[in-house]
Amino acid sequence: MDPHTAQGSVSLEMADQMQLPRAIANSQVDTNVAPTRIRAQLETLTAVAKNQGMTVAMMRATPNSLETLKAWAGSLQGQGVQLTPMSFLAGRQKS
């Protein structure tokens, strides 16, 4: 998993050389904001996932972010979007 935060990261290249599945975080959820702003970011991820078939995001675990994530995850049923472990998505992203 490459969070794509450091320029010049070689983790994806190394994973490819070792023939390991890899993933790139194409979003980061800012957790230094109010829960309503975290929820808005998660709703944006929902829209991206619907549009692109998947999205990979990283989020720092804080009490507010975990509570917000829990509530958001519970709202996904019936929306055609599923929260999955990174291990499921690794190797399935388009490069």
Side-chain angles (χ1 to χ4, degrees):
M1 166 59 174
D2 187 343
H4 237 207
T5 56
Q7 190 171 10
S9 173
V10 296
S11 61
L12 297 178
E13 182 180 320
M14 290 176 64
D16 288 342
Q17 288 174 0
M18 292 187 280
Q19 299 179 350
L20 297 172
R22 83 277 201 301
I24 302 167
N26 46 18
S27 288
Q28 289 220 349
V29 176
D30 182 4
T31 58
N32 292 320
V33 294
T36 54
R37 300 260 327 264
I38 295 171
R39 179 66 182 241
Q41 293 173 82
L42 294 172
E43 295 297 339
T44 298
L45 291 173
T46 302
V48 170
K50 286 179 178 180
N51 186 41
Q52 297 179 2
M54 76 170 65
T55 189
V56 176
M58 293 187 65
M59 181 171 80
R60 178 176 291 151
T62 66
N64 277 341
S65 68
L66 292 175
E67 274 300 311
T68 305
L69 180 65
K70 182 179 176 183
W72 170 75
S75 75
L76 294 177
Q77 188 173 4
Q79 291 193 52
V81 175
Q82 184 175 327
L83 190 61
T84 62
M86 179 57 60
S87 59
F88 179 79
L89 297 176
R92 295 185 172 165
Q93 283 178 304
K94 294 177 184 172
S95 295

